[in-house]
Amino acid sequence: MGILYGYKKTLKYLIGIAAGFFIVLLLTGWVSSFLLDQFPAFEGALRIVGALYILWLAWGTLRASYSFEEAEHPPFGFTKGFFLQILNPKGVIFGLTLYGTFLANQINTFFALLLSAAICASVAFSSTSLWTLFGAGIRKYLDKPRIKQAINIILALLLVYSAVEMSGILDFLR
């Protein structure tokens, strides 16, 4: 959307994404707490599923192409961004992994869950805003196949790195 419409026309959509992500984090924080209390071994499975999903995203990023023609529809608004996150399996896997592994011992009250979800949603808004600004800024370069390919490779490699780190494979090999 940043490539197609720029930041200003995408802002309502970004706010919807952050709001939906906040709700997803609240729900996944509660669910992962319950699951880990009942089934502590579930943590390893969450790491592996999350890592595999991120690797799938890396593959999609590597193969991504870009269309620069504005669609017939106007930019998406708040509602579209909100429901995109509510129905986004990536956000759910992220939330389950975050609360099931990284924050499992720190989140022990509803206030801590609320605060952590608010902080993460704020970081998500900042990140998607930066991503949108980046998209708007690089639009003029993405019509060159070599630059497009280099950007896709760099982004895919960053996702692979994230998946490897999250999975704990390197800790296992050490």
Side-chain angles (χ1 to χ4, degrees), residues 13 16-17 20 76 78-89:
Y13 181 66
I17 288 173
F76 296 141
F78 177 88
T79 305
K80 205 68 138 171
F82 182 82
F83 283 109
L84 173 75
Q85 283 308 304
I86 294 293
L87 301 172
N88 185 356

Side-chain angles (χ1 to χ4, degrees), residues 16 30 33 46 56 64 68 112 125 128 150 164 173:
W30 179 75
S33 175
L46 285 175
W56 180 76
F68 300 107
F125 176 76
T128 55
V164 169
L173 295 175

Side-chain angles (χ1 to χ4, degrees), residues 13-158:
Y13 181 66
L14 298 177
I15 293 169
I17 288 173
F21 193 55
F22 174 75
I23 299 300
V24 166
L25 289 175
L26 284 178
L27 293 173
T28 57
W30 179 75
V31 168
S32 67
S33 175
F34 173 78
L35 286 175
L36 289 177
D37 285 346
Q38 301 302 313
F39 311 102
F42 195 59
E43 177 187 351
L46 285 175
R47 284 181 182 265
I48 299 303
V49 168
L52 290 172
Y53 188 75
I54 290 174
L55 289 173
W56 180 76
L57 291 175
W59 176 249
T61 299
L62 187 62
R63 298 178 331 131
S65 63
Y66 306 95
S67 171
F68 300 107
E69 299 172 14
E70 284 197 26
E72 293 85 40
H73 59 81
F76 296 141
F78 177 88
T79 305
K80 205 68 138 171
F82 182 82
F83 283 109
L84 173 75
Q85 283 308 304
I86 294 293
L87 301 172
N88 185 356
K90 178 178 55 176
V92 172
I93 290 171
F94 171 81
L96 288 172
T97 304
L98 174 71
Y99 288 109
T101 58
F102 300 108
L103 298 178
N105 297 329
Q106 286 77 27
I107 306 299
N108 48 17
T109 66
F110 180 72
F111 179 73
L113 175 61
L114 194 65
L115 182 62
S116 67
I119 290 169
C120 286
S122 297
V123 169
F125 176 76
S126 299
S127 300
T128 55
S129 288
L130 185 60
W131 189 251
T132 302
L133 288 168
F134 178 71
I138 65 169
R139 176 184 176 151
K140 62 185 171 188
Y141 302 108
L142 290 178
D143 62 345
K144 298 177 176 101
R146 296 186 100 184
I147 292 175
K148 180 182 78 168
Q149 184 180 23
I151 288 172
N152 285 359
I153 289 170
I154 290 167
L155 294 175
L157 287 173
L158 289 171

